[in-house]
Amino acid sequence: MDTVTVSNSNVLDYLNDPSPRTLGRSPLEWLERLQKPTVIRVAGRDRSRTRAMATLLHGNEPSGLFALHRWLLEQHTPEVNMLFLLGGVYPAKIPPTLSVRQLAEGRDLNRCFKAPFVGIEGAIAEALLAELRKARPECLLDVHNTSGTGPAFAVSITNDAAHQALTSLYTDRLIATDLRLGALMEYSEQEVPTVTIECGGSQDDQAHELAYDGLVRYASRPDVLSLENAEWDIDVLRNPIRVEIALEATIEYRLKPSGQADLTFPPDIEHRNFGVVSTEEPLGWIGEKGLEILTAIGHNRAENMEQILQVKGGQIYPAQAIRAFMITTNPVIAKSDCLFYAVKATGEPIF
Ligand SMILES: [Zn+2]
């Protein structure tokens, strides 16, 4: 027997089959009207099944919000019931809107989907998980943007047919990781196939288009969990290592090093995203401190930099053929998050 749940009503707002009047003319107008993290339910042709999609867990990653607003305005009837979770409404509303990832004193919402559910973000995560448990969706997507520009990819903790089929709604690249951080995609552990979709850069029209096209496919197909219906083969990259730069080190993006920085990358380094880089291809230049300023972190421990990069004549080369991704030319992100991720050219883990 169902019990009436009122406990989430303080944390979340609810919209059922919202009309165009409720939604406003633009996603920004809609965002202005939203007061809390919001659950949106849309009834489908088959009312016995539900698919879920979370987005805006990070307030500065708008592709999913734009896609959802457009899709809702068009008043589609989805194949099955749809449950949408808009997480980071608070940071997204901070002016200038859609520019802040998380509240200044807050936590990263996509690290909060595990106990203890402390603080505002913990309460939101817990309430969203309760909605998922109630709705019992057959699958879940979490739609994000990457920090730099670059091609779309998916991330999951499981690499099976269902996760690959969900990936194929948006992209042909799946990063499978054993890392557990409290991210929403760990809902896979509840036997609900769950995939994070990184649509590409938050400023890219292409990313917004992809988020919309993917949502249309997700909501309109009778079956989104079988690989027979996949549009393309999925390229799986397993357990990438994270390359980080020391906090006190300096990085610059120039065609030639100025001699002032510990690390220099060419300004077009983002073009390396997902491509194979051989041991003969220089990635950039290293200063006098050498590779000491870099660390490589595998899915549960720090590892030896020498397996990834080597220095020849002041230039950095891969120590073995690698594929790197999430390379950014934003020095703030490069320093606060990471320089890039890498796997072997074959897609296998380096460690
Ligand atoms: Zn994100």
PDB file of all heavy atoms in Angstrom, residues 109-126:
ATOM      1  N   LEU A 109      26.302  19.107  -6.438  1.00  0.00           N
ATOM      2  CA  LEU A 109      25.117  18.258  -6.286  1.00  0.00           C
ATOM      3  C   LEU A 109      25.358  16.845  -6.826  1.00  0.00           C
ATOM      4  O   LEU A 109      24.845  15.868  -6.287  1.00  0.00           O
ATOM      5  CB  LEU A 109      23.910  18.919  -6.987  1.00  0.00           C
ATOM      6  CG  LEU A 109      22.577  18.182  -6.947  1.00  0.00           C
ATOM      7  CD1 LEU A 109      22.135  17.869  -5.520  1.00  0.00           C
ATOM      8  CD2 LEU A 109      21.502  18.999  -7.671  1.00  0.00           C
ATOM      9  N   ASN A 110      26.168  16.756  -7.886  1.00  0.00           N
ATOM     10  CA  ASN A 110      26.404  15.427  -8.462  1.00  0.00           C
ATOM     11  C   ASN A 110      27.484  14.629  -7.726  1.00  0.00           C
ATOM     12  O   ASN A 110      28.037  13.686  -8.259  1.00  0.00           O
ATOM     13  CB  ASN A 110      26.728  15.525  -9.954  1.00  0.00           C
ATOM     14  CG  ASN A 110      26.364  14.255 -10.702  1.00  0.00           C
ATOM     15  OD1 ASN A 110      25.528  13.473 -10.243  1.00  0.00           O
ATOM     16  ND2 ASN A 110      27.017  14.036 -11.839  1.00  0.00           N
ATOM     17  N   ARG A 111      27.764  15.026  -6.506  1.00  0.00           N
ATOM     18  CA  ARG A 111      28.599  14.226  -5.608  1.00  0.00           C
ATOM     19  C   ARG A 111      27.813  13.875  -4.344  1.00  0.00           C
ATOM     20  O   ARG A 111      28.370  13.369  -3.383  1.00  0.00           O
ATOM     21  CB  ARG A 111      29.858  15.006  -5.200  1.00  0.00           C
ATOM     22  CG  ARG A 111      30.791  15.318  -6.358  1.00  0.00           C
ATOM     23  CD  ARG A 111      31.513  14.057  -6.847  1.00  0.00           C
ATOM     24  NE  ARG A 111      32.357  14.323  -8.006  1.00  0.00           N
ATOM     25  CZ  ARG A 111      31.947  14.283  -9.269  1.00  0.00           C
ATOM     26  NH1 ARG A 111      30.689  13.971  -9.563  1.00  0.00           N
ATOM     27  NH2 ARG A 111      32.775  14.534 -10.260  1.00  0.00           N
ATOM     28  N   CYS A 112      26.521  14.189  -4.353  1.00  0.00           N
ATOM     29  CA  CYS A 112      25.712  14.096  -3.127  1.00  0.00           C
ATOM     30  C   CYS A 112      24.706  12.950  -3.127  1.00  0.00           C
ATOM     31  O   CYS A 112      23.902  12.842  -2.205  1.00  0.00           O
ATOM     32  CB  CYS A 112      24.977  15.407  -2.894  1.00  0.00           C
ATOM     33  SG  CYS A 112      26.112  16.781  -2.561  1.00  0.00           S
ATOM     34  N   PHE A 113      24.750  12.086  -4.174  1.00  0.00           N
ATOM     35  CA  PHE A 113      23.744  11.023  -4.255  1.00  0.00           C
ATOM     36  C   PHE A 113      24.150   9.788  -3.455  1.00  0.00           C
ATOM     37  O   PHE A 113      24.058   8.653  -3.916  1.00  0.00           O
ATOM     38  CB  PHE A 113      23.460  10.685  -5.722  1.00  0.00           C
ATOM     39  CG  PHE A 113      22.712  11.795  -6.414  1.00  0.00           C
ATOM     40  CD1 PHE A 113      23.404  12.788  -7.100  1.00  0.00           C
ATOM     41  CD2 PHE A 113      21.334  11.877  -6.325  1.00  0.00           C
ATOM     42  CE1 PHE A 113      22.725  13.834  -7.715  1.00  0.00           C
ATOM     43  CE2 PHE A 113      20.649  12.925  -6.939  1.00  0.00           C
ATOM     44  CZ  PHE A 113      21.346  13.904  -7.635  1.00  0.00           C
ATOM     45  N   LYS A 114      24.669  10.015  -2.279  1.00  0.00           N
ATOM     46  CA  LYS A 114      24.969   8.919  -1.357  1.00  0.00           C
ATOM     47  C   LYS A 114      24.928   9.488   0.059  1.00  0.00           C
ATOM     48  O   LYS A 114      25.175  10.681   0.252  1.00  0.00           O
ATOM     49  CB  LYS A 114      26.341   8.314  -1.663  1.00  0.00           C
ATOM     50  CG  LYS A 114      27.483   9.291  -1.463  1.00  0.00           C
ATOM     51  CD  LYS A 114      28.844   8.614  -1.543  1.00  0.00           C
ATOM     52  CE  LYS A 114      29.914   9.674  -1.320  1.00  0.00           C
ATOM     53  NZ  LYS A 114      31.189   9.390  -1.912  1.00  0.00           N
ATOM     54  N   ALA A 115      24.623   8.605   1.018  1.00  0.00           N
ATOM     55  CA  ALA A 115      24.557   9.034   2.410  1.00  0.00           C
ATOM     56  C   ALA A 115      25.960   9.444   2.880  1.00  0.00           C
ATOM     57  O   ALA A 115      26.941   8.904   2.362  1.00  0.00           O
ATOM     58  CB  ALA A 115      24.021   7.888   3.259  1.00  0.00           C
ATOM     59  N   PRO A 116      26.120  10.349   3.833  1.00  0.00           N
ATOM     60  CA  PRO A 116      25.050  11.071   4.529  1.00  0.00           C
ATOM     61  C   PRO A 116      24.547  12.250   3.686  1.00  0.00           C
ATOM     62  O   PRO A 116      25.346  12.947   3.086  1.00  0.00           O
ATOM     63  CB  PRO A 116      25.768  11.572   5.790  1.00  0.00           C
ATOM     64  CG  PRO A 116      27.197  11.765   5.359  1.00  0.00           C
ATOM     65  CD  PRO A 116      27.463  10.728   4.302  1.00  0.00           C
ATOM     66  N   PHE A 117      23.249  12.437   3.657  1.00  0.00           N
ATOM     67  CA  PHE A 117      22.662  13.485   2.822  1.00  0.00           C
ATOM     68  C   PHE A 117      22.636  14.815   3.577  1.00  0.00           C
ATOM     69  O   PHE A 117      21.594  15.242   4.054  1.00  0.00           O
ATOM     70  CB  PHE A 117      21.264  13.064   2.389  1.00  0.00           C
ATOM     71  CG  PHE A 117      21.260  11.824   1.536  1.00  0.00           C
ATOM     72  CD1 PHE A 117      20.919  10.594   2.092  1.00  0.00           C
ATOM     73  CD2 PHE A 117      21.607  11.866   0.194  1.00  0.00           C
ATOM     74  CE1 PHE A 117      20.920   9.443   1.314  1.00  0.00           C
ATOM     75  CE2 PHE A 117      21.612  10.722  -0.590  1.00  0.00           C
ATOM     76  CZ  PHE A 117      21.273   9.510  -0.021  1.00  0.00           C
ATOM     77  N   VAL A 118      23.801  15.432   3.699  1.00  0.00           N
ATOM     78  CA  VAL A 118      23.885  16.646   4.509  1.00  0.00           C
ATOM     79  C   VAL A 118      23.761  17.902   3.644  1.00  0.00           C
ATOM     80  O   VAL A 118      24.059  17.874   2.455  1.00  0.00           O
ATOM     81  CB  VAL A 118      25.205  16.707   5.318  1.00  0.00           C
ATOM     82  CG1 VAL A 118      25.253  15.603   6.350  1.00  0.00           C
ATOM     83  CG2 VAL A 118      26.412  16.611   4.390  1.00  0.00           C
ATOM     84  N   GLY A 119      23.319  18.983   4.296  1.00  0.00           N
ATOM     85  CA  GLY A 119      23.240  20.284   3.639  1.00  0.00           C
ATOM     86  C   GLY A 119      22.097  20.348   2.638  1.00  0.00           C
ATOM     87  O   GLY A 119      21.341  19.390   2.457  1.00  0.00           O
ATOM     88  N   ILE A 120      21.974  21.499   1.980  1.00  0.00           N
ATOM     89  CA  ILE A 120      20.901  21.706   0.998  1.00  0.00           C
ATOM     90  C   ILE A 120      21.023  20.685  -0.133  1.00  0.00           C
ATOM     91  O   ILE A 120      20.046  20.063  -0.540  1.00  0.00           O
ATOM     92  CB  ILE A 120      21.000  23.125   0.375  1.00  0.00           C
ATOM     93  CG1 ILE A 120      20.878  24.210   1.443  1.00  0.00           C
ATOM     94  CG2 ILE A 120      19.928  23.324  -0.688  1.00  0.00           C
ATOM     95  CD1 ILE A 120      21.199  25.603   0.925  1.00  0.00           C
ATOM     96  N   GLU A 121      22.268  20.515  -0.620  1.00  0.00           N
ATOM     97  CA  GLU A 121      22.458  19.621  -1.767  1.00  0.00           C
ATOM     98  C   GLU A 121      22.148  18.171  -1.382  1.00  0.00           C
ATOM     99  O   GLU A 121      21.585  17.427  -2.193  1.00  0.00           O
ATOM    100  CB  GLU A 121      23.886  19.732  -2.315  1.00  0.00           C
ATOM    101  CG  GLU A 121      24.195  21.062  -2.993  1.00  0.00           C
ATOM    102  CD  GLU A 121      24.516  22.179  -2.005  1.00  0.00           C
ATOM    103  OE1 GLU A 121      24.722  21.860  -0.808  1.00  0.00           O
ATOM    104  OE2 GLU A 121      24.546  23.347  -2.412  1.00  0.00           O
ATOM    105  N   GLY A 122      22.526  17.784  -0.173  1.00  0.00           N
ATOM    106  CA  GLY A 122      22.219  16.438   0.289  1.00  0.00           C
ATOM    107  C   GLY A 122      20.714  16.203   0.341  1.00  0.00           C
ATOM    108  O   GLY A 122      20.217  15.152  -0.081  1.00  0.00           O
ATOM    109  N   ALA A 123      19.983  17.215   0.822  1.00  0.00           N
ATOM    110  CA  ALA A 123      18.526  17.102   0.924  1.00  0.00           C
ATOM    111  C   ALA A 123      17.896  16.998  -0.465  1.00  0.00           C
ATOM    112  O   ALA A 123      16.966  16.209  -0.692  1.00  0.00           O
ATOM    113  CB  ALA A 123      17.957  18.306   1.677  1.00  0.00           C
ATOM    114  N   ILE A 124      18.424  17.785  -1.413  1.00  0.00           N
ATOM    115  CA  ILE A 124      17.899  17.731  -2.787  1.00  0.00           C
ATOM    116  C   ILE A 124      18.173  16.349  -3.384  1.00  0.00           C
ATOM    117  O   ILE A 124      17.283  15.715  -3.964  1.00  0.00           O
ATOM    118  CB  ILE A 124      18.536  18.838  -3.664  1.00  0.00           C
ATOM    119  CG1 ILE A 124      18.104  20.229  -3.171  1.00  0.00           C
ATOM    120  CG2 ILE A 124      18.147  18.654  -5.137  1.00  0.00           C
ATOM    121  CD1 ILE A 124      18.913  21.380  -3.769  1.00  0.00           C
ATOM    122  N   ALA A 125      19.404  15.868  -3.224  1.00  0.00           N
ATOM    123  CA  ALA A 125      19.767  14.563  -3.777  1.00  0.00           C
ATOM    124  C   ALA A 125      18.884  13.467  -3.185  1.00  0.00           C
ATOM    125  O   ALA A 125      18.378  12.596  -3.905  1.00  0.00           O
ATOM    126  CB  ALA A 125      21.249  14.271  -3.517  1.00  0.00           C
ATOM    127  N   GLU A 126      18.688  13.514  -1.895  1.00  0.00           N
ATOM    128  CA  GLU A 126      17.882  12.499  -1.226  1.00  0.00           C
ATOM    129  C   GLU A 126      16.432  12.533  -1.734  1.00  0.00           C
ATOM    130  O   GLU A 126      15.817  11.492  -1.986  1.00  0.00           O
ATOM    131  CB  GLU A 126      17.918  12.716   0.294  1.00  0.00           C
ATOM    132  CG  GLU A 126      17.360  11.561   1.078  1.00  0.00           C
ATOM    133  CD  GLU A 126      17.514  11.741   2.589  1.00  0.00           C
ATOM    134  OE1 GLU A 126      17.601  12.903   3.057  1.00  0.00           O
ATOM    135  OE2 GLU A 126      17.531  10.717   3.295  1.00  0.00           O
TER     136      GLU A 126
END
